[in-house]
Amino acid sequence: MKELVAFDLDGTLAESKQPLQEPMGEALADLLDVAHVAVISGGDWPQFEKQVASRLPERADRTKLWLMPTTGTKLYRFDDAWRAVYAELFEDDEKQKILKAFDESLEATGFVPEQTWGERIEDRGSQITFSALGQEAPIDAKHSWDPDFAKRKVIQADLRQRLPGLSINMGGATSIDITREGVDKAYGLKKLNEASGIALDKMMFIGDAIFPGGNDYPAEQLGLDVVKVKNVDGTLAAIAGIVACLK
């Protein structure tokens, strides 16, 4: 029997950078009645607060919820309020090297969109994230830009040549996340194992990017039981099945 269910966020629990809808909030509350729940994603804490923490119904047992921004390099727990347990941050010289590589890679690969919405590169402290269409891009534009990940696979391959020793993974609808070498969702899940005391074989993972190069794939490589979903509706169905089994 599983004791903890871990989730990707964008494309799994919610649309890209959008708040949880009410059915998902209620489903997570049901799941928290029977198991611990973790959310691990590339977004930083303000995004987690907007998308997840503020969207749960009052009945949800927040003491069993583990929120892990920036691919698990940060951990937040609830104790009367949400508090940071740890944060692992890039040095300034590391950040500058990454920003320079992004500029060079986009020019070299030619994937410069005609229109963008907001900043394209976000410094999340322990992670630098590139959003091809900008941080505020509408959902429809995001879904149509790179639906098969083909464009980002080219950029990812170029960045790996420019930034050896760093971890470069695709996430969300248009994003590429850069963290220190070895920092991926497997790393975050190992940190979760240490912090929670819950064994990895007692965890399962649900995500929409469980394929080679996808930022959910390391969870499968780590050996966790995984559920591959295509969208939020698939996640709702998976949660219903898990709750029924654990009850």
Side-chain angles (χ1 to χ4, degrees):
M1 296 292 283
K2 300 301 180 183
E3 297 177 14
L4 184 147
V5 184
F7 295 89
D8 167 54
L9 179 48
D10 286 347
T12 300
L13 291 176
E15 295 288 352
S16 180
K17 296 195 175 175
Q18 301 302 304
L20 298 186
Q21 295 299 301
E22 184 176 350
M24 185 61 75
E26 295 293 340
L28 289 178
D30 291 341
L31 185 56
L32 285 162
D33 284 341
V34 295
H36 286 257
V37 170
V39 182
I40 178 170
S41 183
D44 205 353
W45 172 247
Q47 197 68 33
F48 267 69
E49 189 170 37
K50 169 189 167 186
Q51 287 186 261
V52 182
S54 64
R55 300 292 294 180
L56 296 170
E58 194 62 37
R59 68 184 179 90
D61 184 356
R62 290 161 175 79
T63 64
K64 290 162 64 179
L65 183 58
W66 307 75
L67 297 183
M68 307 189 75
T70 54
T71 318
T73 55
K74 298 179 182 178
L75 171 63
Y76 283 76
R77 298 297 315 281
F78 188 82
D79 178 15
D80 297 324
W82 288 101
R83 306 182 194 279
V85 177
Y86 65 75
E88 304 168 352
L89 307 179
F90 272 127
E91 300 292 339
D92 287 342
D93 60 335
E94 292 177 301
K95 293 179 184 179
Q96 292 308 312
K97 182 179 179 181
I98 292 167
L99 296 177
K100 182 173 181 286
F102 266 130
D103 289 339
E104 293 172 348
S105 182
L106 290 175
E107 184 174 349
T109 59
F111 289 120
V112 180
E114 294 180 3
Q115 183 177 3
T116 59
W117 293 263
E119 295 294 325
R120 299 176 74 194
I121 295 178
E122 183 181 0
D123 176 2
R124 297 174 176 175
S126 54
Q127 175 176 294
I128 308 295
T129 293
F130 162 74
S131 297
L133 303 185
Q135 299 290 328
E136 309 300 326
I139 294 294
D140 289 347
K142 287 185 175 186
H143 284 325
S144 63
W145 186 73
D146 189 27
D148 57 359
F149 295 85
K151 293 177 182 176
R152 278 177 292 164
K153 285 180 180 177
V154 174
I155 299 170
Q156 180 188 46
D158 184 84
L159 284 169
R160 283 177 171 164
Q161 295 296 316
R162 299 176 191 277
L163 296 170
L166 293 177
S167 182
I168 302 165
N169 289 293
M170 295 176 283
T174 64
S175 298
I176 294 176
D177 301 326
I178 295 186
T179 57
R180 287 200 176 98
E181 187 173 27
V183 175
D184 54 22
K185 286 185 178 169
Y187 173 91
L189 290 163
K190 290 176 187 175
K191 296 282 287 187
L192 179 60
N193 160 242
E194 295 170 8
S196 68
I198 298 172
L200 291 171
D201 62 4
K202 295 293 185 182
M203 300 180 185
M204 67 184 302
F205 181 85
I206 298 176
D208 70 320
I210 304 175
F211 54 82
N215 70 352
D216 296 331
Y217 188 59
E220 184 172 48
Q221 292 179 300
L222 185 60
L224 265 65
D225 290 326
V226 299
V227 177
K228 305 174 187 181
V229 295
K230 291 184 177 179
N231 50 37
V232 172
D233 287 342
T235 305
L236 284 170
I239 292 173
I242 292 165
V243 170
C245 287
L246 291 180
K247 275 186 174 179

